[in-house]
């Protein structure tokens, strides 16, 4: 079989490097949601240093369900806050205006499921980088031994990586 990876919120360069280097890749959708991982958070670098962007979830941190079934909490306007932070951090960067129109719709539409939001964003990231935008998901949960390379666990990352 191939490599299997988790689906992050706005993948960083290291995740993208692993994605490209380990093709064909399956993205895990049948794992239990893992707290304190990049599935609902990312880091951006701005004038004031590193900033954490975290997608709020229904039920807060008390999750005992599959990642694909985790619901986003739209009780607060987190998308507007995330977009403002991204614009503030990268608005003066070369080509931001060109790419902003590709990403802004994801911060205007309300999503019910985190997995759907992350998948839509990943399609746009891959397309923008002119990488294969075909995304394949696992048909069911398999233990690590079923894959040549199991890259689902991002808790082992020891340092913060920036988007």
């Amino acid at each position: 079989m191939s490599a299997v990876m988790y689906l992050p919120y706005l993948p960083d360069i290291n995740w993208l490097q692993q994605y490209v280097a380990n093709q064909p890749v399956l993205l895990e959708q049948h794992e239990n949601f893992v707290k304190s991982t990049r599935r609902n958070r990312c880091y951006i670098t701005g004038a004031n240093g590193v900033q954490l962007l975290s997608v709020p979830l229904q039920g807060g941190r008390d999750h005992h369900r599959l990642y694909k079934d985790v619901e986003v909490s739209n009780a607060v306007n987190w998308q507007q806050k995330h977009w403002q932070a991204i614009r503030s951090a990268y608005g003066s960067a070369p080509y931001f205006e060109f790419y902003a129109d590709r990403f802004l719709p994801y911060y205007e539409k309300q999503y019910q499921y985190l997995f759907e939001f992350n998948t839509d964003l990943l399609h746009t990231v891959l397309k923008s980088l002119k990488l294969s935008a075909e995304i394949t998901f696992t048909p069911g949960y398999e233990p690590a031994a079923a894959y040549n390379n199991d890259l689902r666990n991002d808790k082992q990352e020891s340092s913060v990586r920036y988007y």
Side-chain angles (χ1 to χ4, degrees):
M1 280 196 143
S2 58
V4 63
M5 297 179 73
Y6 67 95
L7 175 63
Y9 168 40
L10 287 176
D12 63 20
I13 193 70
N14 295 306
W15 187 94
L16 289 165
Q17 180 183 21
Q18 291 294 321
Y19 180 83
V20 170
N22 289 287
Q23 288 295 319
V25 171
L26 295 172
L27 295 180
E28 181 62 73
Q29 66 178 340
H30 295 283
E31 66 182 341
N32 287 326
F33 181 76
V34 181
K35 298 181 284 188
S36 301
T37 63
R38 296 180 188 269
R39 287 157 182 83
N40 72 315
R41 59 180 61 184
C42 71
Y43 296 91
I44 61 172
T45 305
N48 297 326
V50 178
Q51 183 177 357
L52 170 66
L53 301 180
S54 181
V55 177
L57 306 174
Q58 290 285 353
R61 296 174 58 94
D62 184 29
H63 286 94
H64 299 289
R65 57 188 117 160
L66 297 180
Y67 176 23
K68 69 183 183 85
D69 296 331
V70 171
E71 294 184 56
V72 173
S73 173
N74 290 305
V76 296
N77 197 355
W78 64 270
Q79 289 165 299
Q80 181 182 12
K81 291 177 183 177
H82 284 210
W83 184 248
Q84 286 174 343
I86 291 168
R87 270 190 42 204
S88 176
Y90 303 115
S92 61
Y95 304 106
F96 179 81
E97 298 273 334
F98 176 75
Y99 290 103
D101 290 341
R102 296 181 186 194
F103 291 91
L104 178 58
Y106 305 113
Y107 294 94
E108 294 177 329
K109 174 185 174 185
Q110 285 195 346
Y111 283 82
Q112 180 176 359
Y113 295 101
L114 177 64
F115 197 84
E116 177 188 2
F117 176 67
N118 288 347
T119 300
D120 287 353
L121 274 173
L122 181 59
H123 274 289
T124 299
V125 168
L126 294 175
K127 186 176 178 181
S128 296
L129 294 172
K130 296 184 169 101
L131 297 172
S132 172
E134 183 178 334
I135 298 173
T136 308
F137 300 104
T138 56
Y141 188 82
E142 295 286 340
Y147 299 103
N148 292 336
N149 199 1
D150 188 346
L151 303 169
R152 290 178 283 195
N153 184 5
D154 70 336
K155 279 192 164 190
Q156 62 196 357
E157 295 179 13
S158 58
S159 63
V160 173
R161 296 191 177 109
Y162 313 106
Y163 176 73

